[in-house]
Each structure stands twice: as structure tokens, then as C-alpha cells.
Amino acid sequence: MSYTNASSGSGSRGARRTVEFGRTYVVRPKGKHQATVVWLHGLGDNGSSWSQLLDNLPLPNIKWICPTAPTRPVTVLGGFPCTAWFDEGELSDDGPKDVEGLDTSASHIANLLSTEPSDVKLGIGGFSMGAACALYSATCFVHGRYGNGSPYPVNLKAVVGLSGWLPGGQNLRNMMLGSHDAIRRAASLPVLLCHGVGDEVVPYKFGERSSQILSSVGFRYVTFKTYQGLGHYTVPKEMEEVCQWLNERLGV
């Protein structure tokens, strides 16, 4: 099943910029619907390729929602337009340059989850830039708001990031200071990060550092899986461990 979505910004107080998201692919649960996970593709990809992979996983009680990012000029590609959840230049620890783009995508993802039944557990996962957007969504959930201050509306139970990084990781510690609610939510949200040592696109150090930062600010349930010889792609062993982790964390 697929449909086209349009999202108008991220609830910012100023003028909204309309962003057109691509097609969303939905993989219906084959068993009892116990959890819904939005899964985010990488730069230049679309929701279709991941929906086919996820449809074959032995997780019959999960509904998968695989949206397609907007097409936008991307700095790291010299301004060439392609599907991207936000604009990104060279990876660094300086923090995200495109908070508006991150907020818009995080809002779109949350909107997809907000219409799910109340007894269904909600999660977000992704690969590469999709993993970065999933982790950004995790920080929005923990703070209870997006980067622009608008309230974050859904209750996340699991976040998965493959071959990705944490946008604005250096700022996270300051944002946690003095917020008991944020500390409480961080302590209860399980996060699985997987990264290949041979990743030539998003170097391994960014995945490792993201895990360290999350743990240091109070995320108690961060699991970091290392894969020797793995480049910027996924392999069956990695997906098997994702399945096992989701089974344990979501009880599906």
C-alpha cells in the first residue's frame, strides 16, 4: 500500500515552508498488530526498497511505515537535489546546520505515528541519514519538543539507527541540564545503534561517538553493535540482531 503525503513545516511560529514528502509505503502486520515502526531510508533512496526488506523479516506483529523524504538540494552533493530528510554538509560535531529540515522531517514522522491505535507501541528506525533523523526524533521525544520549541506529540518505545550519527550530539548535554522529565524519558528509551568498522560514507567513529554521548547524558539502554568488515550497507546478521532486539524491547 502506498500514498503521497505533503507536510507543511514543523509547527514553527513564523511562516511555514511547505515541504513535499514522497510516497509512503506501508507493510501491514501479518499477525496481531502490537507495534508500529516508522523506518527511514538513506540519502537518495526511497521508502520502497526498505519496505521490501522489512516485509521479509520474522516480525509478524509489527506494522512498518516507510516514508520517502522530500527532494531537496544537498550541500554534501554540491547542491545536487535528491531525497534527503534534511540538508547536510560535511559531518562534524558542531551540531546540525539544518534544524528546520530536521524538525520538519521529525514532525512528519511523528504525524505518521500519531494516528496509530493507543495500545500499539511506537518506534522509529533508519539507515544512514534516516538513522540520524531517527536519533534526532529520539532527542525531540526526550525533551518533549522539537528544536523550534513546538511540543513533540508521541510516546516512543524504541529507536534503531544503522550506519548513522546523532545530529547535534555536542548540544545534547546542555539541553538535558535541569530537566527531570527529559532525564526520566532518556532513562526509559531503548536505543540500538549498529555500525560497520569499514563504513566509508559515515565513518565508524561517528556511530561510536553517538553511542557514547547518548549514554553519557542519561540514556540507560543504549546498545552499540560493531561489525568488522562491514561498509555502508546492511547484512543479514545485522538485521537478525535488529529483529531480536525489537522482539525484546517491544515484546512482539
mmCIF file of all heavy atoms in Angstrom, residues 108-154:
data_model
loop_
_atom_site.group_PDB
_atom_site.id
_atom_site.type_symbol
_atom_site.label_atom_id
_atom_site.label_comp_id
_atom_site.label_asym_id
_atom_site.label_seq_id
_atom_site.Cartn_x
_atom_site.Cartn_y
_atom_site.Cartn_z
ATOM 1 N N HIS A 108 6.891 15.225 10.524
ATOM 2 C CA HIS A 108 6.206 14.344 9.573
ATOM 3 C C HIS A 108 6.147 12.911 10.101
ATOM 4 O O HIS A 108 5.107 12.244 10.042
ATOM 5 C CB HIS A 108 6.952 14.388 8.235
ATOM 6 C CG HIS A 108 6.349 13.540 7.163
ATOM 7 N ND1 HIS A 108 5.131 13.814 6.590
ATOM 8 C CD2 HIS A 108 6.807 12.413 6.546
ATOM 9 C CE1 HIS A 108 4.856 12.897 5.667
ATOM 10 N NE2 HIS A 108 5.860 12.034 5.625
ATOM 11 N N ILE A 109 7.267 12.437 10.661
ATOM 12 C CA ILE A 109 7.346 11.082 11.224
ATOM 13 C C ILE A 109 6.386 10.949 12.404
ATOM 14 O O ILE A 109 5.650 9.965 12.519
ATOM 15 C CB ILE A 109 8.792 10.784 11.662
ATOM 16 C CG1 ILE A 109 9.734 10.789 10.452
ATOM 17 C CG2 ILE A 109 8.880 9.461 12.401
ATOM 18 C CD1 ILE A 109 11.184 11.052 10.818
ATOM 19 N N ALA A 110 6.411 11.926 13.292
ATOM 20 C CA ALA A 110 5.520 11.882 14.455
ATOM 21 C C ALA A 110 4.054 11.901 14.031
ATOM 22 O O ALA A 110 3.212 11.213 14.629
ATOM 23 C CB ALA A 110 5.816 13.047 15.388
ATOM 24 N N ASN A 111 3.739 12.658 12.981
ATOM 25 C CA ASN A 111 2.364 12.690 12.494
ATOM 26 C C ASN A 111 1.930 11.324 11.974
ATOM 27 O O ASN A 111 0.778 10.908 12.156
ATOM 28 C CB ASN A 111 2.215 13.739 11.390
ATOM 29 C CG ASN A 111 2.254 15.156 11.923
ATOM 30 O OD1 ASN A 111 2.036 15.381 13.104
ATOM 31 N ND2 ASN A 111 2.552 16.113 11.061
ATOM 32 N N LEU A 112 2.839 10.610 11.317
ATOM 33 C CA LEU A 112 2.527 9.261 10.836
ATOM 34 C C LEU A 112 2.213 8.322 11.998
ATOM 35 O O LEU A 112 1.350 7.454 11.903
ATOM 36 C CB LEU A 112 3.696 8.704 10.021
ATOM 37 C CG LEU A 112 3.980 9.360 8.666
ATOM 38 C CD1 LEU A 112 5.290 8.823 8.077
ATOM 39 C CD2 LEU A 112 2.829 9.133 7.695
ATOM 40 N N LEU A 113 2.926 8.501 13.118
ATOM 41 C CA LEU A 113 2.721 7.643 14.283
ATOM 42 C C LEU A 113 1.521 8.058 15.122
ATOM 43 O O LEU A 113 0.940 7.225 15.828
ATOM 44 C CB LEU A 113 3.979 7.654 15.163
ATOM 45 C CG LEU A 113 5.212 6.932 14.601
ATOM 46 C CD1 LEU A 113 6.432 7.232 15.452
ATOM 47 C CD2 LEU A 113 4.963 5.422 14.531
ATOM 48 N N SER A 114 1.146 9.320 15.051
ATOM 49 C CA SER A 114 0.130 9.852 15.973
ATOM 50 C C SER A 114 -1.259 9.279 15.719
ATOM 51 O O SER A 114 -2.127 9.366 16.595
ATOM 52 C CB SER A 114 0.087 11.376 15.879
ATOM 53 O OG SER A 114 -0.357 11.780 14.592
ATOM 54 N N THR A 115 -1.487 8.694 14.556
ATOM 55 C CA THR A 115 -2.812 8.146 14.260
ATOM 56 C C THR A 115 -2.899 6.646 14.542
ATOM 57 O O THR A 115 -3.932 6.031 14.287
ATOM 58 C CB THR A 115 -3.166 8.386 12.778
ATOM 59 O OG1 THR A 115 -2.155 7.808 11.942
ATOM 60 C CG2 THR A 115 -3.245 9.882 12.481
ATOM 61 N N GLU A 116 -1.833 6.071 15.086
ATOM 62 C CA GLU A 116 -1.856 4.637 15.409
ATOM 63 C C GLU A 116 -2.703 4.386 16.663
ATOM 64 O O GLU A 116 -2.861 5.271 17.500
ATOM 65 C CB GLU A 116 -0.426 4.139 15.628
ATOM 66 C CG GLU A 116 0.421 4.131 14.355
ATOM 67 C CD GLU A 116 -0.170 3.230 13.280
ATOM 68 O OE1 GLU A 116 -0.145 2.000 13.452
ATOM 69 O OE2 GLU A 116 -0.665 3.765 12.271
ATOM 70 N N PRO A 117 -3.256 3.162 16.796
ATOM 71 C CA PRO A 117 -4.070 2.855 17.977
ATOM 72 C C PRO A 117 -3.308 3.065 19.281
ATOM 73 O O PRO A 117 -2.087 2.878 19.338
ATOM 74 C CB PRO A 117 -4.410 1.366 17.772
ATOM 75 C CG PRO A 117 -4.294 1.138 16.306
ATOM 76 C CD PRO A 117 -3.199 2.047 15.838
ATOM 77 N N SER A 118 -4.019 3.428 20.330
ATOM 78 C CA SER A 118 -3.382 3.798 21.601
ATOM 79 C C SER A 118 -2.681 2.630 22.282
ATOM 80 O O SER A 118 -1.771 2.835 23.099
ATOM 81 C CB SER A 118 -4.414 4.411 22.547
ATOM 82 O OG SER A 118 -5.453 3.473 22.801
ATOM 83 N N ASP A 119 -3.086 1.395 21.977
ATOM 84 C CA ASP A 119 -2.470 0.240 22.633
ATOM 85 C C ASP A 119 -1.292 -0.321 21.842
ATOM 86 O O ASP A 119 -0.739 -1.369 22.198
ATOM 87 C CB ASP A 119 -3.507 -0.864 22.853
ATOM 88 C CG ASP A 119 -4.121 -1.357 21.543
ATOM 89 O OD1 ASP A 119 -4.051 -0.626 20.534
ATOM 90 O OD2 ASP A 119 -4.661 -2.483 21.531
ATOM 91 N N VAL A 120 -0.879 0.365 20.781
ATOM 92 C CA VAL A 120 0.230 -0.082 19.939
ATOM 93 C C VAL A 120 1.503 0.664 20.319
ATOM 94 O O VAL A 120 1.492 1.891 20.485
ATOM 95 C CB VAL A 120 -0.117 0.152 18.450
ATOM 96 C CG1 VAL A 120 1.113 0.032 17.563
ATOM 97 C CG2 VAL A 120 -1.189 -0.832 17.993
ATOM 98 N N LYS A 121 2.595 -0.058 20.496
ATOM 99 C CA LYS A 121 3.873 0.564 20.839
ATOM 100 C C LYS A 121 4.499 1.188 19.602
ATOM 101 O O LYS A 121 4.417 0.624 18.504
ATOM 102 C CB LYS A 121 4.815 -0.472 21.446
ATOM 103 C CG LYS A 121 4.316 -1.032 22.767
ATOM 104 C CD LYS A 121 5.203 -2.143 23.273
ATOM 105 C CE LYS A 121 4.670 -2.741 24.568
ATOM 106 N NZ LYS A 121 5.473 -3.888 25.021
ATOM 107 N N LEU A 122 5.154 2.338 19.789
ATOM 108 C CA LEU A 122 5.652 3.120 18.659
ATOM 109 C C LEU A 122 7.171 3.186 18.656
ATOM 110 O O LEU A 122 7.799 3.365 19.706
ATOM 111 C CB LEU A 122 5.081 4.537 18.713
ATOM 112 C CG LEU A 122 3.551 4.650 18.810
ATOM 113 C CD1 LEU A 122 3.141 6.107 18.927
ATOM 114 C CD2 LEU A 122 2.870 3.973 17.630
ATOM 115 N N GLY A 123 7.758 3.063 17.473
ATOM 116 C CA GLY A 123 9.205 3.158 17.338
ATOM 117 C C GLY A 123 9.605 3.837 16.044
ATOM 118 O O GLY A 123 8.789 4.016 15.128
ATOM 119 N N ILE A 124 10.878 4.220 15.971
ATOM 120 C CA ILE A 124 11.445 4.834 14.765
ATOM 121 C C ILE A 124 12.804 4.197 14.513
ATOM 122 O O ILE A 124 13.590 4.002 15.453
ATOM 123 C CB ILE A 124 11.622 6.363 14.913
ATOM 124 C CG1 ILE A 124 10.302 7.047 15.254
ATOM 125 C CG2 ILE A 124 12.187 6.969 13.627
ATOM 126 C CD1 ILE A 124 10.433 8.540 15.543
ATOM 127 N N GLY A 125 13.077 3.865 13.270
ATOM 128 C CA GLY A 125 14.381 3.339 12.896
ATOM 129 C C GLY A 125 14.815 3.917 11.566
ATOM 130 O O GLY A 125 14.023 4.537 10.849
ATOM 131 N N GLY A 126 16.083 3.694 11.217
ATOM 132 C CA GLY A 126 16.529 4.198 9.934
ATOM 133 C C GLY A 126 17.958 3.819 9.638
ATOM 134 O O GLY A 126 18.699 3.321 10.500
ATOM 135 N N PHE A 127 18.337 4.081 8.391
ATOM 136 C CA PHE A 127 19.672 3.777 7.889
ATOM 137 C C PHE A 127 20.338 5.074 7.443
ATOM 138 O O PHE A 127 19.730 5.890 6.745
ATOM 139 C CB PHE A 127 19.585 2.796 6.714
ATOM 140 C CG PHE A 127 20.898 2.536 6.029
ATOM 141 C CD1 PHE A 127 21.818 1.649 6.588
ATOM 142 C CD2 PHE A 127 21.232 3.187 4.850
ATOM 143 C CE1 PHE A 127 23.043 1.418 5.963
ATOM 144 C CE2 PHE A 127 22.449 2.954 4.224
ATOM 145 C CZ PHE A 127 23.358 2.068 4.782
ATOM 146 N N SER A 128 21.607 5.270 7.854
ATOM 147 C CA SER A 128 22.424 6.406 7.426
ATOM 148 C C SER A 128 21.756 7.734 7.804
ATOM 149 O O SER A 128 21.522 7.994 8.983
ATOM 150 C CB SER A 128 22.687 6.302 5.917
ATOM 151 O OG SER A 128 23.657 7.236 5.502
ATOM 152 N N MET A 129 21.393 8.580 6.818
ATOM 153 C CA MET A 129 20.714 9.830 7.143
ATOM 154 C C MET A 129 19.378 9.554 7.813
ATOM 155 O O MET A 129 18.932 10.337 8.668
ATOM 156 C CB MET A 129 20.515 10.671 5.883
ATOM 157 C CG MET A 129 19.761 11.963 6.116
ATOM 158 S SD MET A 129 19.546 12.970 4.631
ATOM 159 C CE MET A 129 21.002 14.022 4.754
ATOM 160 N N GLY A 130 18.738 8.440 7.462
ATOM 161 C CA GLY A 130 17.499 8.051 8.139
ATOM 162 C C GLY A 130 17.737 7.733 9.599
ATOM 163 O O GLY A 130 16.907 8.039 10.459
ATOM 164 N N ALA A 131 18.897 7.110 9.896
ATOM 165 C CA ALA A 131 19.258 6.845 11.296
ATOM 166 C C ALA A 131 19.479 8.151 12.044
ATOM 167 O O ALA A 131 19.081 8.290 13.202
ATOM 168 C CB ALA A 131 20.511 5.974 11.359
ATOM 169 N N ALA A 132 20.128 9.120 11.384
ATOM 170 C CA ALA A 132 20.349 10.429 12.002
ATOM 171 C C ALA A 132 19.027 11.094 12.343
ATOM 172 O O ALA A 132 18.853 11.666 13.428
ATOM 173 C CB ALA A 132 21.175 11.319 11.070
ATOM 174 N N CYS A 133 18.059 10.992 11.435
ATOM 175 C CA CYS A 133 16.749 11.595 11.677
ATOM 176 C C CYS A 133 16.006 10.852 12.784
ATOM 177 O O CYS A 133 15.300 11.467 13.586
ATOM 178 C CB CYS A 133 15.943 11.591 10.384
ATOM 179 S SG CYS A 133 14.560 12.739 10.388
ATOM 180 N N ALA A 134 16.178 9.532 12.846
ATOM 181 C CA ALA A 134 15.563 8.751 13.931
ATOM 182 C C ALA A 134 16.129 9.163 15.284
ATOM 183 O O ALA A 134 15.384 9.322 16.265
ATOM 184 C CB ALA A 134 15.785 7.262 13.686
ATOM 185 N N LEU A 135 17.457 9.342 15.344
ATOM 186 C CA LEU A 135 18.086 9.749 16.604
ATOM 187 C C LEU A 135 17.704 11.179 16.978
ATOM 188 O O LEU A 135 17.530 11.504 18.156
ATOM 189 C CB LEU A 135 19.601 9.601 16.507
ATOM 190 C CG LEU A 135 20.099 8.155 16.440
ATOM 191 C CD1 LEU A 135 21.607 8.123 16.219
ATOM 192 C CD2 LEU A 135 19.750 7.385 17.710
ATOM 193 N N TYR A 136 17.566 12.043 15.980
ATOM 194 C CA TYR A 136 17.091 13.395 16.272
ATOM 195 C C TYR A 136 15.675 13.337 16.846
ATOM 196 O O TYR A 136 15.343 14.047 17.803
ATOM 197 C CB TYR A 136 17.117 14.258 15.006
ATOM 198 C CG TYR A 136 16.677 15.683 15.261
ATOM 199 C CD1 TYR A 136 17.545 16.598 15.856
ATOM 200 C CD2 TYR A 136 15.390 16.112 14.932
ATOM 201 C CE1 TYR A 136 17.141 17.912 16.113
ATOM 202 C CE2 TYR A 136 14.979 17.409 15.182
ATOM 203 C CZ TYR A 136 15.863 18.305 15.770
ATOM 204 O OH TYR A 136 15.465 19.593 16.032
ATOM 205 N N SER A 137 14.833 12.485 16.276
ATOM 206 C CA SER A 137 13.472 12.305 16.809
ATOM 207 C C SER A 137 13.513 11.832 18.259
ATOM 208 O O SER A 137 12.692 12.252 19.080
ATOM 209 C CB SER A 137 12.698 11.303 15.953
ATOM 210 O OG SER A 137 12.484 11.794 14.642
ATOM 211 N N ALA A 138 14.485 10.952 18.570
ATOM 212 C CA ALA A 138 14.634 10.483 19.951
ATOM 213 C C ALA A 138 14.934 11.638 20.892
ATOM 214 O O ALA A 138 14.387 11.707 22.000
ATOM 215 C CB ALA A 138 15.739 9.433 20.030
ATOM 216 N N THR A 139 15.801 12.570 20.467
ATOM 217 C CA THR A 139 16.113 13.713 21.329
ATOM 218 C C THR A 139 14.904 14.637 21.472
ATOM 219 O O THR A 139 14.678 15.207 22.535
ATOM 220 C CB THR A 139 17.322 14.506 20.796
ATOM 221 O OG1 THR A 139 17.014 15.102 19.524
ATOM 222 C CG2 THR A 139 18.541 13.611 20.636
ATOM 223 N N CYS A 140 14.096 14.764 20.397
ATOM 224 C CA CYS A 140 12.873 15.573 20.492
ATOM 225 C C CYS A 140 11.895 14.950 21.484
ATOM 226 O O CYS A 140 11.279 15.656 22.294
ATOM 227 C CB CYS A 140 12.210 15.688 19.116
ATOM 228 S SG CYS A 140 13.135 16.650 17.904
ATOM 229 N N PHE A 141 11.761 13.627 21.436
ATOM 230 C CA PHE A 141 10.888 12.935 22.388
ATOM 231 C C PHE A 141 11.356 13.155 23.825
ATOM 232 O O PHE A 141 10.560 13.444 24.722
ATOM 233 C CB PHE A 141 10.856 11.438 22.071
ATOM 234 C CG PHE A 141 10.362 10.586 23.208
ATOM 235 C CD1 PHE A 141 9.040 10.642 23.615
ATOM 236 C CD2 PHE A 141 11.236 9.748 23.897
ATOM 237 C CE1 PHE A 141 8.592 9.865 24.678
ATOM 238 C CE2 PHE A 141 10.802 8.976 24.955
ATOM 239 C CZ PHE A 141 9.469 9.043 25.349
ATOM 240 N N VAL A 142 12.648 13.027 24.039
ATOM 241 C CA VAL A 142 13.198 13.175 25.384
ATOM 242 C C VAL A 142 12.973 14.587 25.920
ATOM 243 O O VAL A 142 12.595 14.777 27.084
ATOM 244 C CB VAL A 142 14.698 12.797 25.383
ATOM 245 C CG1 VAL A 142 15.405 13.315 26.623
ATOM 246 C CG2 VAL A 142 14.866 11.293 25.276
ATOM 247 N N HIS A 143 13.174 15.586 25.068
ATOM 248 C CA HIS A 143 12.974 16.975 25.520
ATOM 249 C C HIS A 143 11.510 17.371 25.561
ATOM 250 O O HIS A 143 11.153 18.376 26.171
ATOM 251 C CB HIS A 143 13.719 17.939 24.591
ATOM 252 C CG HIS A 143 15.199 17.778 24.630
ATOM 253 N ND1 HIS A 143 15.927 17.794 25.797
ATOM 254 C CD2 HIS A 143 16.104 17.575 23.646
ATOM 255 C CE1 HIS A 143 17.206 17.609 25.531
ATOM 256 N NE2 HIS A 143 17.339 17.465 24.242
ATOM 257 N N GLY A 144 10.668 16.576 24.867
ATOM 258 C CA GLY A 144 9.256 16.914 24.817
ATOM 259 C C GLY A 144 8.936 18.000 23.815
ATOM 260 O O GLY A 144 7.808 18.515 23.784
ATOM 261 N N ARG A 145 9.903 18.344 22.976
ATOM 262 C CA ARG A 145 9.675 19.403 21.991
ATOM 263 C C ARG A 145 10.689 19.270 20.847
ATOM 264 O O ARG A 145 11.748 18.678 21.000
ATOM 265 C CB ARG A 145 9.808 20.782 22.641
ATOM 266 C CG ARG A 145 11.173 21.065 23.225
ATOM 267 C CD ARG A 145 11.209 22.390 23.972
ATOM 268 N NE ARG A 145 12.556 22.710 24.433
ATOM 269 C CZ ARG A 145 13.088 22.296 25.570
ATOM 270 N NH1 ARG A 145 12.383 21.519 26.378
ATOM 271 N NH2 ARG A 145 14.312 22.642 25.921
ATOM 272 N N TYR A 146 10.307 19.875 19.736
ATOM 273 C CA TYR A 146 11.226 19.964 18.600
ATOM 274 C C TYR A 146 12.263 21.058 18.848
ATOM 275 O O TYR A 146 12.183 21.793 19.839
ATOM 276 C CB TYR A 146 10.446 20.277 17.320
ATOM 277 C CG TYR A 146 9.436 19.226 16.931
ATOM 278 C CD1 TYR A 146 8.080 19.409 17.201
ATOM 279 C CD2 TYR A 146 9.829 18.048 16.308
ATOM 280 C CE1 TYR A 146 7.148 18.448 16.852
ATOM 281 C CE2 TYR A 146 8.901 17.083 15.951
ATOM 282 C CZ TYR A 146 7.564 17.284 16.223
ATOM 283 O OH TYR A 146 6.641 16.328 15.889
ATOM 284 N N GLY A 147 13.191 21.174 17.926
ATOM 285 C CA GLY A 147 14.213 22.217 18.051
ATOM 286 C C GLY A 147 13.641 23.618 18.049
ATOM 287 O O GLY A 147 14.225 24.536 18.623
ATOM 288 N N ASN A 148 12.461 23.798 17.416
ATOM 289 C CA ASN A 148 11.850 25.130 17.367
ATOM 290 C C ASN A 148 10.947 25.413 18.564
ATOM 291 O O ASN A 148 10.328 26.467 18.634
ATOM 292 C CB ASN A 148 11.061 25.292 16.062
ATOM 293 C CG ASN A 148 9.916 24.305 15.927
ATOM 294 O OD1 ASN A 148 9.406 23.785 16.922
ATOM 295 N ND2 ASN A 148 9.507 24.029 14.700
ATOM 296 N N GLY A 149 10.865 24.446 19.488
ATOM 297 C CA GLY A 149 10.082 24.667 20.704
ATOM 298 C C GLY A 149 8.678 24.104 20.689
ATOM 299 O O GLY A 149 8.021 24.067 21.726
ATOM 300 N N SER A 150 8.188 23.668 19.527
ATOM 301 C CA SER A 150 6.842 23.091 19.465
ATOM 302 C C SER A 150 6.810 21.732 20.169
ATOM 303 O O SER A 150 7.798 20.993 20.140
ATOM 304 C CB SER A 150 6.410 22.923 18.006
ATOM 305 O OG SER A 150 6.328 24.178 17.356
ATOM 306 N N PRO A 151 5.691 21.374 20.801
ATOM 307 C CA PRO A 151 5.612 20.120 21.564
ATOM 308 C C PRO A 151 5.771 18.886 20.672
ATOM 309 O O PRO A 151 5.251 18.855 19.552
ATOM 310 C CB PRO A 151 4.208 20.158 22.185
ATOM 311 C CG PRO A 151 3.779 21.589 22.103
ATOM 312 C CD PRO A 151 4.451 22.168 20.908
ATOM 313 N N TYR A 152 6.457 17.887 21.194
ATOM 314 C CA TYR A 152 6.590 16.608 20.486
ATOM 315 C C TYR A 152 5.438 15.710 20.929
ATOM 316 O O TYR A 152 5.244 15.491 22.127
ATOM 317 C CB TYR A 152 7.935 15.948 20.801
ATOM 318 C CG TYR A 152 8.215 14.725 19.955
ATOM 319 C CD1 TYR A 152 8.659 14.871 18.642
ATOM 320 C CD2 TYR A 152 8.015 13.441 20.455
ATOM 321 C CE1 TYR A 152 8.902 13.755 17.850
ATOM 322 C CE2 TYR A 152 8.247 12.323 19.664
ATOM 323 C CZ TYR A 152 8.700 12.482 18.369
ATOM 324 O OH TYR A 152 8.931 11.380 17.577
ATOM 325 N N PRO A 153 4.647 15.140 19.994
ATOM 326 C CA PRO A 153 3.340 14.583 20.368
ATOM 327 C C PRO A 153 3.253 13.091 20.643
ATOM 328 O O PRO A 153 2.190 12.625 21.053
ATOM 329 C CB PRO A 153 2.485 14.915 19.130
ATOM 330 C CG PRO A 153 3.454 14.829 17.986
ATOM 331 C CD PRO A 153 4.787 15.283 18.524
ATOM 332 N N VAL A 154 4.299 12.301 20.383
ATOM 333 C CA VAL A 154 4.126 10.846 20.517
ATOM 334 C C VAL A 154 5.081 10.268 21.559
ATOM 335 O O VAL A 154 6.098 10.870 21.901
ATOM 336 C CB VAL A 154 4.323 10.120 19.166
ATOM 337 C CG1 VAL A 154 3.245 10.514 18.177
ATOM 338 C CG2 VAL A 154 5.698 10.368 18.597
#
